[in-house]
Each structure stands twice: as structure tokens, then as C-alpha cells.
């Protein structure tokens, strides 16, 4: 039959058979690689197009190399690969994110409430003891009334009655105390102002502890000598100076050990260890009105921390939550448009991803304040202090999460489209088909998924680090992390918190009682659980899967191992144990000074202290060890990091 064909027909038949053989060989090769190409008809058309034009037109969405004239040799910007439309959307996202950050920084993060009106507890100042210009304000009738009521011997009992019992207890309410001395004891209005200043002066002299058991005792009298001198100067009740001079002389008697001990005790409040431990359980429902004691915002809290000798707290929050969020946006915009090498771009995106979570220092600091400020104090009247979250701190968390997702998307786009293209350059010529080169690189990547080496040569190193990390995390989570102490005139309340209970305090009875924004407290609680409990545990579970895949059940993950390691790295970048440690340390450091600054004049009523416990030290060590463990299991982007033959 072949002999009947013309020469031209025989040539075409031979060419067709040769083409069929080539197709068969190509299919066999693709099958060995696990790769599927299009139909033979499509391949034939493609070869005809190549023969006709000598080149292949890239698809509309095909990434092409940037013009060499647009940037210095070896340097390009990322925008050249994605176009101005994607670049515009990226910059718009960064601007909107910065706007949300500004809103969060200017708005209220939390509000601290008190059951007592802070405006009615202003602390008056008696005339200074060295002020010779001060004259007595009490009249002759007041002087006669003073001695008729018992003089200085009865004065302490009258002050206690007005501060603790009159109208439910005046505490430090000067108007209330003045009214008490006028109506209850018959003093004139101007003379009563001198009596109203004595209780606050006693608090300022740290006389609460020594006057607690016996307000009319010698130790209490000695402690209040400066206040009594100022009272004499203010009132002009000179007759009271007789008993005052006797008491003063007794205090100055060097041979009397009793008076010396009492005088030494008056200089300081009793230690927390010397007071009975009891936390009050007041009924929040009985509070008729809650007063705003302090609106907590980013700017004001930094100012108060700085002025309250908590400069370390102010510096940490400014750096991590004030400067770093905006700096990340600026760096992301610069790396998108400024020409630079692949190495600079890759490492910048990688470290932006790893360090993004440190912005959350302010979120955890606010949570610590919300828990630490839950106070129930008894100064003859019940004083409850509590705090509520406001939307600005929620907005700050959402802006940080938005920024983190943005960085991860840009990093993923960069690794897949740019580094992937560079990685495949060696498998094609300069005029080769870009799509085929990318497919070949993908096939090669698929073949090497399970063979991807670990960054360390010895497998026992990540095994030890991961097991040690898990043990440290469990130990640190169940042990006490931080302790907050508060004392009143009767007892000291000591509250210990670990990693779990510190978050639970946001949504317990004290955290939600009378709370006008419970949804925001629950939101912060869920963030706490997710970032500090779920993500670290998920990270370690995935790390164990990789190690099991490499040891006991070798190969059960197959080509999925690299995906597991990649996801482990992404999850670890937002597990925030180390960020919490920074926030807890910043809050605990000079915490009493910070609270005193917030309390203002009412700080004389507050005895606040805090301690870091073993859980803090363990979790700090855990953060370091776990970081090294994740480093030994990381996956490097194409073109940087370790090489396969190094394992």
C-alpha cells in the first residue's frame, strides 16, 4: 500500500509517525514524573505555533521578568511583577490599617470605675507646720465647745465616727466630714474645715496600720503628731496643745522603749505578711452608682506611666505598640516599590512576619490592668474598684491581625510567583516557554516535598528541643505567673494568677458584674485563649507530627510533611507567649507607682503591690527554647537558607 503513495504523501506519513513516536515518549516521561500534559492535538497545535512564530506568547496572567532598564542590575521592586493595580490595593490596605491604628491609639482602651465618688474625696491640706502666717479659724464658741466635748482626748473618737459611721461613713469626703462636725458636734462651718483635713492627713502619714487596732492609743497619737500640729495651726484651739506637748515630749524620751517602738512603727505601714489575709466579697448589686475614676487611653496611660516613675512600662509600650505598628506598614510599602535584591526582599518579608506579633504588647498590658485593678477595699465603707474594656483595644487587636494577614499574603505571593520563577530559571533557556518552566519547577518541588531536609543534621536536636518546650509550657501554664496584692484597714487580699486563671479573670464574677460591655470582655478572653493556649499547643502537635514522620512512622505524612512544617511556622508566628511575658513584666515593674498615678489624690487609700512568680520564669525560658525548636524545623523560602546536600 505504501508503494501506491506519492513521494509527498510518504514524507507526510513518515513525519506523522515520527511525531506520534515523540508524543508517546513524552507521555512516558511525564508518567514517570507523575505529570500530565494536554491532549496530543493540543501538543500538535502548540508545536505548529512554535514552528510558525518561533516563540510562545505568555498568558495574560503570566508573570514576566521586569525590564532590565527599570532598575539597577540584580535589583527589582516587587511592584514590577504584580502591576500597579495590585500595588494600589496594597497601599490602600496599609493606609486603612494605619487609620484604624490611629483610632485605637486616640480612643479609650478601658475605663476604671469606683463605687465611691472620686470628686468628693479630694484631700485638703492643712496649714504647714512652719507657716507662721496661719491663724486660727475657730471662734471662742468653738473653743468652749471643744473643751466641753472632751478636748483632744475625744477628738480621735469624733473623727472616727464621722469617717466611718456618719451617713454610712464619710471616708475622706471633706464636705461630709465638715457637715458631721457641724451637725453632730456643733462646730462652726469655718472651724469644721480643720477637722475635715485630719483623716486624709493621717493616711498621708501612713498611720492607718498603727491606728487600726486602737485609734486612741499612744502609738496612733504619736503617728498623728504632724497632723495634730497642723490642726492646732489651722483651728487656733491652743488649749489642745497641752495634751499635744505631753505626747510629743513622751515621744521624744529616748529612754522609753515603748515610745521608740511606736514611733518607728508609725513611719511605715505594716507589711503584707503581718496583716490577716482575706479578700472581701462585696455585693456589686448594692452599688447605686458607678463613678469614672480613670479613663485609660494609649496616650494618657503612657503619660501617667512616665510621670508615675514607671518609665520602663512607658518605653516598652511606645516601642512595641506605638512605633512598631506604623513602622511595619512603612517597611512593607518601601519593600514593594524600592528596587533591591531578592535576598533583601525575602529576609525583610520573613522578619516582618516573625516580629509582627510584638505589636500586641499593649493588648496584653491592658488585660493585665483590667484584672489587677479589681479591688474591694474596706475603709469603714465599702470601696469597689473595677475596670471595663472599650472598643479601642479591640480595634487595636483587629488592626494588628489585619496587618499580620496582609504581611502573610504578600509573603506568599512573593514566594510563589517571584522566588518560584527564579528557582526555575536553571531548567529553561532564556527564550524557553515560561509556563513549561514553571510547571517543571512545580514537578521538581513536588518530587522533593518529603526529601526536604531539616536545617540541622542531627535529628535528636529538634526532638530534645520540642520535648523540652512542651514540658516547660505545661509547667509554666499551671504555676503561678503573677501575684497582685491589695490591703485596706482590715486585711490584705493576695490574688495569684497562672496562664489560665489570668484570662479567666476577665469573665468571672468580678470581671462581668455591672459590666456595661461584657461582649468586649469576652472578645478579649477568646483572643487570650486562642493566642496563648490554642496556637502554642497546635504548634507543638504539628512539630510532633513532623518528628514522628522522621522517626517512628517514617514517611506516613509523605509529601505533606513540608506543608505541615510551613503551617507550623505560620502558626508559631502568631503564638504570643513571649509577647505576654513582655507585657506582664512591664506592668509588674513599678506597678504600685503606676496605680498611684492613676488614683491621684486617692492614692493614700491604696496599698498595692505585685510579684512575679515561678510561672513567669518558666514561660520566659520556654519562649527561648521553643523559638530554637521551631528554627530547627523551619522551611526556608526558595533561594535562601540551607541546601539539600547540607542535611
Amino acid at each position: 500500500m505504501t508503494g501506491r503513495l506519492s513521494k509527498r504523501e510518504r514524507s507526510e506519513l513518515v513525519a506523522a509517525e515520527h511525531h506520534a513516536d515523540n508524543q508517546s515518549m513524552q507521555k512516558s516521561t511525564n508518567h514517570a514524573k507523575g505529570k500530565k500534559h494536554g491532549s496530543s492535538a493540543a501538543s500538535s497545535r502548540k508545536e505548529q505555533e512554535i514552528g510558525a512564530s518561533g516563540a510562545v506568547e505568555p498568558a495574560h496572567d503570566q508573570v514576566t521578568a521586569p525590564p532590565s532598564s527599570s532598575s539597577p542590575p540584580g535589583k527589582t521592586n516587587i511592584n514590577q511583577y504584580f502591576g500597579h493595580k495590585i500595588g494600589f490595593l496594597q497601599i490602600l490596605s496599609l493606609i486603612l490599617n494605619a487609620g484604624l491604628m490611629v483610632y485605637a491609639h486616640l480612643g479609650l482602651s478601658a475605663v476604671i470605675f469606683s463605687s465611691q465618688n472620686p470628686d468628693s474625696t479630694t484631700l485638703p491640706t492643712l496649714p504647714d507646720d512652719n507657716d507662721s502666717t496661719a491663724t486660727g479659724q475657730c471662734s471662742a464658741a468653738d473653743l468652749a465647745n471643744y473643751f466641753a466635748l472632751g478636748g483632744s482626748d475625744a477628738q480621735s473618737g469624733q473623727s472616727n465616727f464621722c469617717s466611718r459611721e456618719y451617713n454610712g461613713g464619710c471616708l475622706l469626703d471633706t464636705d461630709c466630714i465638715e457637715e458631721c462636725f457641724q451637725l453632730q458636734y456643733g462646730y462652726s462651718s469655718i472651724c469644721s474645715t480643720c477637722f475635715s483635713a485630719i483623716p486624709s492627713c493621717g493616711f498621708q502619714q501612713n498611720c492607718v496600720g498603727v491606728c487600726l487596732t486602737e485609734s486612741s492609743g499612744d502609738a496612733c497619737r504619736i503617728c498623728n503628731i504632724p497632723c495634730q500640729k497642723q490642726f492646732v495651726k489651722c483651728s487656733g484651739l491652743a488649749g489642745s496643745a497641752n495634751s499635744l506637748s505631753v505626747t510629743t515630749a513622751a515621744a521624744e524620751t529616748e529612754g522609753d522603749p515603748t515610745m521608740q517602738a511606736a514611733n518607728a512603727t508609725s513611719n511605715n505601714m505594716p507589711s503584707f505578711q503581718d496583716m490577716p489575709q482575706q479578700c472581701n466579697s462585696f455585693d456589686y448589686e448594692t452599688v447605686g452608682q458607678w463613678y469614672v475614676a480613670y479613663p485609660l487611653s494609649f496616650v494618657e496611660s503612657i503619660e501617667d506611666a512616665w510621670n508615675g516613675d514607671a518609665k520602663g512600662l512607658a518605653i516598652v509600650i511606645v516601642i512595641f505598640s506605638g512605633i512598631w505598628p506604623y513602622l511595619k506598614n512603612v517597611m512593607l510599602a518601601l519593600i514593594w516599590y524600592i528596587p533591591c535584591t531578592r535576598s533583601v526582599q525575602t529576609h525583610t518579608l520573613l522578619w516582618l512576619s516573625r516580629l509582627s506579633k510584638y505589636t500586641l504588647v499593649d493588648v496584653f498590658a491592658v488585660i493585665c490592668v483590667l484584672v489587677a485593678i479589681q479591688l474591694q477595699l474596706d475603709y469603714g465603707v465599702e470601696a469597689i474598684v473595677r475596670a471595663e474594656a472599650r472598643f479601642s483595644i479591640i480595634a487595636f487587636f483587629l488592626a494588628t491581625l489585619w496587618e499580620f494577614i496582609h504581611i502573610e499574603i504578600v509573603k506568599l505571593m512573593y514566594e510563589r510567583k517571584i522566588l518560584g520563577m527564579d528557582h526555575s530559571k536553571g531548567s529553561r533557556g532564556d527564550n524557553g516557554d515560561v509556563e513549561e518552566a514553571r510547571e517543571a519547577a512545580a514537578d521538581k518541588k513536588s518530587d522533593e516535598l518529603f526529601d526536604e531536609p531539616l536545617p540541622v543534621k542531627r535529628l535528636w536536636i529538634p526532638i530534645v528541643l520540642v520535648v523540652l518546650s512542651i514540658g516547660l509550657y505545661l509547667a509554666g501554664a499551671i504555676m503561678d505567673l503573677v501575684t497582685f496584692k491589695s490591703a485596706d484597714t482590715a486585711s490584705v487580699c493576695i490574688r495569684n494568677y497562672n496562664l489560665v486563671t489570668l484570662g479567666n479573670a476577665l469573665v468571672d464574677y468580678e470581671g462581668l458584674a455591672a459590666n456595661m460591655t461584657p461582649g468586649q470582655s469576652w472578645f478579649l478572653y477568646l483572643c487570650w485563649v486562642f493566642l496563648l493556649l490554642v496556637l502554642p499547643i497546635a504548634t507543638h502537635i504539628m512539630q510532633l507530627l513532623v518528628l514522628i514522620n522522621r522517626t517512628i512512622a517514617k514517611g506516613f505524612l509523605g509529601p505533606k510533611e513540608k506543608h505541615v512544617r510551613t503551617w507550623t511556622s505560620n502558626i508559631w508566628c502568631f503564638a504570643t507567649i513571649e509577647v505576654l511575658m513582655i507585657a506582664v513584666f512591664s506592668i509588674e515593674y513599678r506597678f504600685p507607682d503606676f496605680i498611684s498615678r492613676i488614683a491621684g489624690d486617692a492614692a493614700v487609700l491604696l496599698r498595692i503591690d505585685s510579684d512575679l512568680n515561678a510561672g513567669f520564669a518558666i514561660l520566659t525560658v520556654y519562649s527561648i527554647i521553643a523559638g530554637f525548636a521551631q528554627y530547627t524545623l523551619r522551611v526556608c523560602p526558595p533561594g535562601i537558607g540551607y541546601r539539600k546536600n547540607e542535611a
Side-chain angles (χ1 to χ4, degrees):
M1 184 174 179
T2 307
R4 297 178 183 178
L5 299 175
S6 64
K7 184 177 180 180
R8 179 180 180 182
E9 291 174 336
R10 285 197 302 271
S11 299
E12 291 177 351
L13 180 60
V14 171
E17 291 175 350
H18 180 69
H19 179 66
D21 292 339
N22 289 339
Q23 283 186 334
S24 178
M25 293 176 62
Q26 182 68 24
K27 289 182 178 180
S28 299
T29 303
N30 292 342
H31 180 71
K33 290 183 177 181
K35 174 181 177 181
K36 294 181 180 180
H37 276 295
S39 64
S40 59
S43 299
S44 179
R45 287 195 301 270
K46 192 171 186 179
E47 291 177 0
Q48 293 174 3
E49 292 172 359
I50 293 175
S53 61
V56 177
E57 293 295 329
H60 293 290
D61 58 349
Q62 177 62 48
V63 177
T64 58
S68 58
S69 59
S70 61
S71 58
K75 295 184 178 181
T76 57
N77 63 53
I78 302 176
N79 186 68
Q80 290 176 300
Y81 291 92
F82 295 96
H84 295 295
K85 182 178 180 181
I86 299 298
F88 170 77
L89 294 177
Q90 204 249 157
I91 295 300
L92 179 62
S93 175
L94 295 178
I95 293 175
L96 293 177
N97 179 267
L100 186 58
M101 285 285 186
V102 171
Y103 167 81
H105 282 153
L106 297 180
L108 287 179
S109 299
V111 178
I112 299 175
F113 292 95
S114 172
S115 61
Q116 300 294 326
N117 188 354
D119 295 332
S120 66
T121 57
T122 55
L123 304 181
T125 303
L126 285 167
D128 185 80
D129 190 47
N130 297 321
D131 185 7
S132 59
T133 62
T135 58
Q137 299 182 24
C138 297
S139 63
D142 290 323
L143 178 61
N145 185 41
Y146 179 76
F147 284 113
L149 293 175
S152 61
D153 294 333
Q155 182 179 332
S156 61
Q158 297 166 3
S159 296
N160 286 336
F161 173 80
C162 292
S163 296
R164 299 191 179 193
E165 299 182 30
Y166 182 76
N167 284 345
C170 295
L171 198 59
L172 296 181
D173 188 341
T174 56
D175 294 334
C176 178
I177 296 175
E178 290 176 16
E179 179 183 295
C180 176
F181 273 91
Q182 291 179 52
L183 301 181
Q184 196 72 22
Y185 300 110
Y187 289 98
S188 64
S189 174
I190 189 171
C191 183
S192 297
T193 59
C194 299
F195 289 95
S196 67
I198 294 177
S200 59
C201 177
F203 277 108
Q204 293 170 342
Q205 294 295 323
N206 294 329
C207 298
V208 175
V210 294
C211 295
L212 178 62
T213 56
E214 189 177 1
S215 59
S216 58
D218 289 336
C220 182
R221 286 172 178 253
I222 293 172
C223 181
N224 279 285
I225 286 176
C227 301
Q228 194 67 17
K229 286 183 177 180
Q230 293 179 16
F231 169 76
V232 172
K233 184 75 67 175
C234 172
S235 64
L237 298 178
S240 63
N242 294 330
S243 59
L244 173 63
S245 60
V246 174
T247 306
T248 305
E252 294 173 351
T253 303
E254 296 181 357
D256 190 342
T258 303
M259 292 297 101
Q260 291 176 353
N263 192 30
T265 305
S266 68
N267 292 330
N268 296 286
M269 299 284 283
S271 64
F272 287 107
Q273 292 79 7
D274 297 334
M275 299 182 69
Q277 296 185 17
Q278 179 182 352
C279 294
N280 300 314
S281 298
F282 299 149
D283 186 3
Y284 284 51
E285 302 299 330
T286 61
V287 178
Q289 182 178 358
W290 292 98
Y291 300 92
V292 176
Y294 184 78
L296 184 65
S297 67
F298 179 81
V299 177
E300 291 182 359
S301 62
I302 291 175
E303 180 181 356
D304 288 333
W306 185 270
N307 294 332
D309 291 331
K311 293 181 173 58
L313 171 62
I315 293 174
V316 168
I317 293 180
V318 166
I319 292 176
F320 287 103
S321 298
I323 299 176
W324 180 230
Y326 303 103
L327 183 60
K328 283 188 294 184
N329 286 344
V330 172
M331 293 177 65
L332 202 56
L334 292 178
I335 203 67
W336 186 273
Y337 285 104
I338 293 182
C340 53
T341 63
R342 293 284 188 272
S343 178
V344 172
Q345 293 170 347
T346 302
H347 284 88
T348 301
L349 293 174
L350 185 62
W351 282 105
L352 282 176
S353 175
R354 291 174 177 174
L355 301 180
S356 179
K357 58 185 174 183
Y358 288 92
T359 305
L360 294 174
V361 167
D362 187 46
V363 175
F364 290 127
V366 170
I367 291 177
C368 291
V369 171
L370 292 177
V371 175
I373 207 66
Q374 295 177 0
L375 305 175
Q376 298 184 31
L377 306 173
D378 184 1
Y379 292 103
V381 294
E382 297 179 357
I384 304 175
V385 182
R386 63 179 184 85
E388 295 180 4
R390 288 294 181 262
F391 183 72
S392 286
I393 196 63
I394 308 295
F396 188 79
F397 173 82
L398 294 176
T400 302
L401 180 61
W402 175 358
E403 194 174 42
F404 175 78
I405 295 175
H406 186 132
I407 293 173
E408 289 301 311
I409 292 176
V410 171
K411 185 164 71 76
L412 182 62
M413 292 168 56
Y414 179 83
E415 291 176 358
R416 286 187 175 181
K417 293 188 177 182
I418 300 179
L419 294 184
M421 184 183 66
D422 289 346
H423 188 60
S424 64
K425 280 183 178 180
S427 62
R428 62 179 175 89
D430 293 338
N431 297 323
D433 184 83
V434 177
E435 183 63 28
E436 288 185 357
R438 292 183 62 189
E439 290 179 0
D443 290 335
K444 183 178 180 181
K445 182 178 179 181
S446 177
D447 292 338
E448 296 180 350
L449 278 175
F450 177 67
D451 294 331
E452 181 72 26
L454 295 178
V456 293
K457 296 181 180 181
R458 296 172 177 82
L459 188 59
W460 65 266
I461 295 178
I463 293 176
V464 171
L465 291 176
V466 169
V467 172
L468 183 59
S469 298
I470 295 174
L472 289 172
Y473 176 79
L474 295 177
I478 63 178
M479 297 188 70
D480 290 338
L481 177 67
V482 63
T483 297
F484 295 111
K485 305 174 185 179
S486 59
D488 52 25
T489 58
S491 61
V492 57
C493 177
I494 300 178
R495 297 172 293 155
N496 297 310
Y497 296 101
N498 60 27
L499 186 63
V500 177
T501 58
L502 187 59
N504 292 343
L506 289 170
V507 291
D508 61 7
Y509 173 75
E510 286 79 9
L512 295 180
N515 195 326
M516 293 181 291
T517 58
Q520 296 179 13
S521 296
W522 276 104
F523 181 87
L524 291 177
Y525 171 72
L526 293 177
C527 294
W528 180 280
V529 171
F530 184 72
L531 298 176
L532 301 173
L533 300 178
V534 175
L535 292 186
I537 293 174
T539 298
H540 295 315
I541 290 176
M542 299 176 75
Q543 289 173 340
L544 289 176
L545 289 177
V546 173
L547 294 176
I548 293 173
N549 186 58
R550 294 264 174 170
T551 55
I552 302 174
K554 191 170 183 179
F556 83 99
L557 287 178
K560 295 181 180 179
E561 182 193 286
K562 189 171 182 179
H563 296 301
V564 173
R565 289 166 58 191
T566 301
W567 274 104
T568 303
S569 179
N570 293 336
I571 293 174
W572 176 252
C573 284
F574 219 58
T576 52
I577 292 293
E578 63 271 38
V579 182
L580 174 65
M581 296 302 101
I582 296 175
V584 170
F585 178 79
S586 302
I587 288 294
E588 195 278 336
Y589 176 72
R590 307 303 293 269
F591 177 68
D593 297 327
F594 176 57
I595 296 299
S596 297
R597 179 68 183 180
I598 291 177
D601 291 337
V604 296
L605 290 173
L606 299 178
R607 292 191 60 204
I608 304 296
D609 199 4
S610 59
D611 293 310
L612 296 176
N613 298 323
F616 176 84
I618 293 174
L619 288 178
T620 301
V621 176
Y622 158 80
S623 300
I624 299 173
I625 300 298
F628 281 111
Q630 179 55 37
Y631 176 83
T632 63
L633 296 174
R634 77 194 192 282
V635 175
C636 283
I640 68 170
Y642 53 85
R643 296 179 180 178
K644 183 177 178 180
N645 57 11
E646 292 177 353

